[in-house]
Amino acid sequence: MPKWHNALLALIVSVCTSLVTNAQPIVGASAQQLQLGIIVTRTFANAQDVLKKLNAGMDFFVMAREYSIDPTAGDGGYLGELNPANMQPALRDAVEKIHKEKFSGIVAIPTGYAILTVLPGPVNWPNLEVRQMERVAKSGEVRQSINVDGLSESDAVFRAFPKPEGWERDLQQSCEIRQKSRAAAIAQMERLLADGDAKTENRPAPRDFMQGHEALAQFHAYSGDLDQSIVEWEKAYKIALSDVPVAIPYLEEALGVTNLQLAGIENGAFVNGGDIDLFPPANPALRYEKQEHSRIAIQYFQDILDHQSDDPQVKWLLNLAYVTVGEYPAGVPAKYLIPPSVFASTEDIGRFKDVAAAAGLNVVGSAGGVLVDDFENSGLLDVITSSEAVCDPLHYFHNNGDGTFTDRTAQAGLSDELGGLNIVEGDYNNDGCMDFLVLRGGWEFGMRMSLMRNNCNGTFTDVTHESGLDKAVFPTQTAVWADIDNDGYLDLFVGAEHQPSHLFRNKGDGTFEDISHAAGIDKIAQTKGVAAADFDKDGYVDFYVSNFNGANFLYHNNHDLTFTDIAKEAGVQEPYSSFATMVFDYDNDGWPDIFVASYSNLTVDQQVRSYLGIPFTAETSKLFRNLHDGAFRDVTADVGLDKVYMPMGAGFGDVDNDGYLDIYLGMGNPSFASLLPHVLLRNDQGKRFVDISASSGTGELHKGHGVSFADLGRSGSEDIVTVTGGAVPADRHSMRVFRNPGNGNNWINVRLKGVKSNRSAVGAEIKLTVENDGGAARTIFRTIGEKSSFGSNPLEEHIGLGHGARIKSLETYWPATRTRQVFENVSTDQFIVVKEFDSSYTKLDRRPVQLGGAAVAGVQK
């Protein structure tokens, strides 16, 4: 047999018996709250070594701090006070084992291999407030979302599969290992189940067979072989009906979810979804042509609700299934109906139209990032997308200037750049041509980044090795460009997962040096987002870092290439489970504020509860208002954002040109069950945010990731470009390009060009003084380069001015040179470029077009 057989066989057995996410508590499980500790290692062999040392008497606290890759490592592995009855089965069963032994044994989980113990007493949390930790611990009692996607199983076998040295730097090899490892796991698992079935003595228990079929169902679900996945779920369900009745509700939900996913694929909803993918549906009569699997899903969901009528998540899935057969809301049983009124918008700025296919931006892919910027210096905005799937290439779309785009990936030299959960742009070498960085491995395993140098001729070159950015390999999905020392070159902060983050100083010669440790930013966390801004207006950029299951960081720039974390003093450590973060001046007071998205596997159920106005316990996202004195105030509830969302993608822009920045959130998690409408939140003069998703038609149901606000048609209104798609091949989706319907408000588009400052003007500030309809003057502020950690707007500023606007003055401020420019009585509704030090600006000739084709009549250039 191959050398890797024994290791893979052990892993498959672990997957078969442990890696099943059951949302239903076992009957009779203990209701006792336990103080739990956890150690997580990357490999099964590491876990065996740790368990051996623990059984030999080594201290759990010490071992956790030394060996655990979990965010709890710094706290000695303290997981919190939790009720085992409400934990996922793999961990719950492990805790039950602790009643007989001191430690749980080794449990396969999505991030690695876990060992649990019951701690003797409460543990003091050294960083976050006690009240916060109590609330987080209580969130463990919330119903977890069912995971049907196969990602955890496929990642587990990928980690265990034998790999040659340096595989993480070879993109093609990573793709091949992904394909081979999953195929090998399926073959071995089928053999295990067949061998077990053939035994007459020492035959495995029914529960083992059931979980084996569940795991095999997950592997088939991952690749999109959903017919076979359903076969395996049905085998597990048959065993549960006769021998494991406690698993029946979970398996019914899994079958409902898988059938609903298959219905979407069969009907082309993920590739050519149109309005059928939007919620609430504008036309209730829209329906799938092939309805068999939707009807099966309805039956399974309804069977669950007939026994558990108070389950919001299954109610939601039932309502969505009725949408697909054109019977929502009228056909939904009254006691299970979630009415459209729950989602109704109180404001309407017009309906956006998805024109991705018409515009030629019709890529279908997995979760990924998006860049919109002028990569060819043509005055037109081009589009680059990435996909986290390790076998998917980047896509480069050239703007044709007529409202359409052409895929020029091969011509641009990007066909061999595979994978990439996120991408960020910046002109790192100051040659006037926009470069970008590809980030890989987030949530999964370490892979190399790619720094793509723009050759200023429509092509790109991978210069990762030459630049020195290939020396560190770690899982990441977030980075930000910023000039930390005001030397005129963009430096790079890259957030890492379970490893120290990295700060690369630009040496000005095309290379970077890693100053992470010396700079003091190398804390270990599961970093999911990073944003840059000068929070205290001292002329030096600071960094805000959001972490999953841990305190967030606010790194203050000490002006000497070092940073100090002041998050606790500033009051911006929450949420505990953070994801995307962005910095923007939501209230136009000239000071950067912070938005942080809360993210948890619990929040499908919790978001539905939030919509319905019934109690929820999950964390909300946070909006922190800058108080101008080094501190922030949590204004989440004040502005109406104290709701549960589940955003992976997040971005901001001004969709109604009123001068206030609005928010778009793309929802979901890897599970097929995570179908939640994306949310467009209109900023009402910095006082509150109003949900206009329904009226605007932007409530895409499938997984949202990279988000960009950009005026693609040069028509004076920002469109919303979003990469849509899940984390597995079976959940691929076409991207969305929501064309702005426009309104009568004025605007101006400003691109700054640095001379002594960095060429793309990142960090430079714009202040507009505006009168509207002859009224009192007001100010509007923007900073170049402030963006979301999972979305990227062009490095030009589209600034809405409101109705009847007159620009009294336009000021720019360049922190690196402390240069201030003032231009008076600037005309509205135009594109201009301002060069550092110049006494005048240049008006640009931009021809407006109808995005998706056809010229726009009567629109001012």
Side-chain angles (χ1 to χ4, degrees), residues 6 14 38 114 165 250 315 335 391-392 586 603 637 676 859:
N6 290 335
S14 177
I38 190 169
E165 185 177 352
Y250 162 70
K315 278 185 183 178
K335 59 182 176 179
C391 296
D392 283 359
Y586 84 93
T603 47
L676 294 160
V859 179

Side-chain angles (χ1 to χ4, degrees), residues 237-438:
Y237 185 50
K238 183 178 180 180
I239 295 171
L241 287 171
S242 58
D243 296 297
V244 195
V246 70
I248 290 173
Y250 162 70
L251 290 167
E252 287 179 336
E253 188 174 355
L255 277 161
V257 168
T258 309
N259 273 281
L260 186 59
Q261 182 80 2
L262 179 53
I265 292 174
E266 282 185 335
N267 287 276
F270 302 164
V271 178
N272 302 300
D275 287 348
I276 193 68
D277 254 5
L278 303 179
F279 192 88
N283 180 4
L286 285 175
R287 65 190 68 198
Y288 287 171
E289 181 179 341
K290 301 174 182 178
Q291 297 188 2
E292 176 189 358
H293 290 287
S294 290
R295 298 286 179 186
I296 294 173
I298 287 172
Q299 189 59 58
Y300 277 120
F301 295 144
Q302 198 153 316
D303 285 349
I304 298 170
L305 291 172
D306 287 344
H307 296 90
Q308 299 172 205
S309 60
D310 61 344
D311 189 323
Q313 176 171 301
V314 178
K315 278 185 183 178
W316 169 245
L317 291 170
L318 176 68
N319 280 256
L320 289 184
Y322 271 106
V323 169
T324 67
V325 296
E327 296 176 11
Y328 174 86
V332 183
K335 59 182 176 179
Y336 304 141
L337 175 64
I338 299 178
S341 59
V342 170
F343 304 90
S345 302
T346 58
E347 295 182 2
D348 187 351
I349 66 167
R351 193 165 182 88
F352 289 64
K353 180 181 179 182
D354 178 20
V355 296
L361 295 168
N362 53 355
V363 64
V364 176
S366 300
V370 60
L371 299 179
V372 180
D373 218 315
D374 184 359
F375 289 97
E376 301 175 18
N377 289 334
S378 64
L380 303 172
L381 296 177
D382 310 297
V383 178
I384 303 175
T385 66
S386 68
S387 170
E388 67 87 32
V390 293
C391 296
D392 283 359
L394 299 178
H395 283 276
Y396 179 83
F397 293 96
H398 162 79
N399 192 325
N400 299 322
D402 60 0
T404 68
F405 295 76
T406 299
D407 190 336
R408 289 189 179 174
T409 304
Q411 297 93 317
L414 298 176
S415 298
D416 294 331
E417 289 296 327
L418 307 180
L421 188 51
N422 200 8
I423 40 182
V424 291
E425 86 266 39
D427 182 3
Y428 80 94
N429 57 0
N430 283 343
D431 65 353
C433 301
M434 197 65 67
D435 316 297
F436 67 95
L437 181 77
V438 185

Side-chain angles (χ1 to χ4, degrees), residues 363-636:
V363 64
V364 176
S366 300
V370 60
L371 299 179
V372 180
D373 218 315
D374 184 359
F375 289 97
E376 301 175 18
N377 289 334
S378 64
L380 303 172
L381 296 177
D382 310 297
V383 178
I384 303 175
T385 66
S386 68
S387 170
E388 67 87 32
V390 293
C391 296
D392 283 359
L394 299 178
H395 283 276
Y396 179 83
F397 293 96
H398 162 79
N399 192 325
N400 299 322
D402 60 0
T404 68
F405 295 76
T406 299
D407 190 336
R408 289 189 179 174
T409 304
Q411 297 93 317
L414 298 176
S415 298
D416 294 331
E417 289 296 327
L418 307 180
L421 188 51
N422 200 8
I423 40 182
V424 291
E425 86 266 39
D427 182 3
Y428 80 94
N429 57 0
N430 283 343
D431 65 353
C433 301
M434 197 65 67
D435 316 297
F436 67 95
L437 181 77
V438 185
L439 303 161
R440 299 185 175 94
W443 297 109
E444 296 182 297
F445 31 75
M447 292 181 66
R448 75 170 178 91
M449 303 180 291
S450 290
L451 178 61
M452 306 306 301
R453 186 188 66 208
N454 191 331
N455 299 319
C456 302
N457 61 1
T459 69
F460 296 84
T461 299
D462 188 334
V463 294
T464 316
H465 177 69
E466 295 89 329
S467 69
L469 292 181
D470 66 334
K471 295 176 182 177
V473 175
F474 46 87
T476 179
Q477 63 175 46
T478 185
V480 66
W481 296 96
D483 184 357
I484 62 171
D485 51 1
N486 288 336
D487 67 347
Y489 287 92
L490 290 178
D491 310 297
L492 179 65
F493 189 117
V494 185
E497 298 182 8
H498 307 302
Q499 295 185 35
S501 289
H502 290 266
L503 181 59
F504 298 98
R505 183 172 180 267
N506 192 329
K507 296 167 68 176
D509 59 0
T511 67
F512 294 81
E513 60 176 327
D514 190 338
I515 63 169
S516 311
H517 182 68
I521 60 89
D522 58 340
K523 289 187 177 185
I524 295 177
Q526 189 175 3
T527 295
K528 304 307 297 183
V530 58
D534 182 2
F535 292 107
D536 55 358
K537 309 286 280 186
D538 65 352
Y540 285 81
V541 69
D542 313 298
F543 295 108
Y544 185 73
V545 179
S546 63
N547 300 311
F548 186 69
N549 290 351
N552 298 331
F553 309 143
L554 176 57
Y555 287 118
H556 174 258
N557 191 326
N558 299 323
H559 308 180
D560 59 0
L561 299 181
T562 70
F563 293 79
T564 302
D565 180 12
I566 61 169
K568 185 174 182 180
E569 296 84 345
V572 293
Q573 288 185 300
E574 298 183 78
Y576 177 73
S577 294
S578 297
F579 192 178
T581 185
M582 56 194 189
V583 175
F584 69 131
D585 183 2
Y586 84 93
D587 55 356
N588 270 335
D589 68 350
W591 292 75
D593 310 300
I594 301 172
F595 175 86
V596 200
S598 175
Y599 184 83
S600 169
N601 192 40
L602 308 170
T603 47
V604 174
D605 169 81
Q606 292 288 285
Q607 187 166 340
V608 175
R609 288 176 176 272
S610 182
Y611 273 121
L612 293 174
I614 59 179
F616 59 83
T617 56
E619 291 180 288
T620 68
S621 297
K622 293 293 182 183
L623 179 64
F624 296 109
R625 181 175 182 268
N626 195 324
L627 299 179
H628 313 176
D629 60 0
F632 292 76
R633 185 167 72 87
D634 182 350
V635 296
T636 310

Side-chain angles (χ1 to χ4, degrees), residues 18-71:
S18 300
L19 218 91
V20 182
T21 305
N22 184 340
Q24 310 301 324
I26 285 183
V27 176
S30 170
Q32 180 183 6
Q33 295 286 118
L34 299 175
Q35 300 280 347
L36 296 177
I38 190 169
I39 295 173
V40 181
T41 65
R42 294 193 186 284
T43 69
F44 186 77
N46 291 153
Q48 287 179 311
D49 183 56
V50 169
L51 185 58
K52 180 179 178 180
K53 292 177 179 178
L54 289 170
N55 286 325
M58 291 291 291
D59 182 80
F60 191 91
F61 180 88
V62 173
M63 295 294 288
R65 291 184 69 103
E66 185 171 353
Y67 293 103
S68 183
I69 63 170
D70 192 76

